[in-house]
Amino acid sequence: MSDISFRDLLRSIRPPKAELPDFDTVAAPDDPIALFLEWTASAVDAGVSQLNAMTLSTATRGGVPSARTLLLKDVTEHGFWFASLASAPKGKELAQNPRAALTLYWREQGRQVRVSGPVEPGPRAVSEQDFLARHPLARAQAIAGEQSTTLPGAEEVTGLVASASELIAVDPLFVPADWTAYVLEPISVEFWQASGHDQIRLRYTRTPSGWTHERLWP
């Protein structure tokens, strides 16, 4: 067995060599949504893998936190959109404590975006549109069982999913009542850019009169 400690093992990891994009904070727009859209377009052009994957962090009423990775569905003037069953753990936590944080990390560009703010359910029509855009198997799985509960035996799972698939075949427009599109209204958005051994951080904060932004120490 190697004598190297786990801490030393982690310290031996070197980031991949890549040509990182510039981040001119002086030229940053006044609105963080505009900058986020610029960064997203750049990430698409650069072929960043799974750039719409993000960590959603929530907490119970008592402050017990949890986090999971899911997909960013849209960004509009209202905020950052994602979807879930309201009966799932994250939906229950948002009902108790309707605030959350989002983190997106684009390794290939050395970029990270952190967003926080209040969360509320969007219009029912948006929730339905989101669910119906999912693959039929994904829809069947969402209908078949209660998310994050103990998975039964393989035979029972197969039967439940088959029954849900039959329901979709009979009613292709069926959407579970608790499928919910949520929108996080940002009150703080931070853009983080790796730069060699340095970091560039720019944080936007919402005020009653609009957005302000400032550089942060690494």
Side-chain angles (χ1 to χ4, degrees):
M1 180 180 294
S2 173
D3 292 331
I4 187 172
S5 70
F6 187 71
R7 178 181 177 83
D8 289 337
L9 178 63
L10 294 179
R11 288 180 63 86
S12 71
I13 298 172
R14 295 291 179 264
K17 294 182 178 180
E19 185 174 342
L20 302 177
D22 294 327
F23 184 19
D24 182 1
T25 59
V26 175
D30 293 333
D31 189 321
I33 298 299
L35 182 55
F36 183 80
L37 296 177
E38 288 180 17
W39 273 31
T40 302
S42 173
V44 170
D45 291 341
V48 170
S49 174
Q50 295 183 306
L51 63 91
N52 58 335
M54 64 182 186
T55 300
L56 168 68
S57 301
T58 55
T60 64
R61 183 180 293 109
V64 179
S66 62
R68 74 290 289 163
T69 301
L70 72 173
L71 297 180
L72 174 66
K73 295 301 185 75
D74 198 4
V75 178
T76 68
E77 68 275 12
H78 300 294
F80 293 72
W81 293 79
F82 58 93
S84 171
L85 289 163
S87 57
K90 52 185 171 293
K92 293 177 180 178
E93 290 176 2
L94 287 170
Q96 296 176 30
N97 185 359
R99 299 178 65 84
L102 308 174
T103 307
L104 297 101
Y105 176 57
W106 299 334
R107 180 183 64 84
E108 296 92 333
Q109 293 189 312
R111 284 181 164 176
Q112 182 178 187
V113 182
R114 302 170 60 206
V115 187
S116 62
V119 179
E120 63 179 21
R124 181 60 185 167
V126 177
S127 299
E128 293 177 348
Q129 182 183 30
D130 177 85
F131 188 79
L132 294 175
R134 292 165 63 90
H135 188 278
L137 178 57
R139 281 185 276 158
Q141 290 173 335
I143 296 168
E146 187 175 350
Q147 191 180 88
S148 297
T149 59
T150 302
L151 193 70
E155 186 174 342
E156 184 176 350
V157 170
T158 299
L160 290 170
V161 173
S163 296
S165 296
E166 291 175 6
L167 171 61
I168 292 173
V170 172
D171 183 3
L173 298 181
F174 174 80
V175 178
D178 63 344
W179 186 261
T180 306
Y182 293 96
V183 58
L184 184 153
E185 180 184 1
I187 60 173
S188 176
V189 184
E190 180 189 325
F191 295 85
W192 182 95
Q193 172 71 68
S195 179
H197 293 288
D198 199 2
Q199 304 167 25
I200 302 171
R201 298 175 62 188
L202 183 68
R203 181 180 62 198
Y204 288 78
T205 304
R206 188 190 294 274
T207 71
S209 58
W211 288 98
T212 64
H213 57 274
E214 57 194 352
R215 287 282 303 269
L216 302 178
W217 278 97

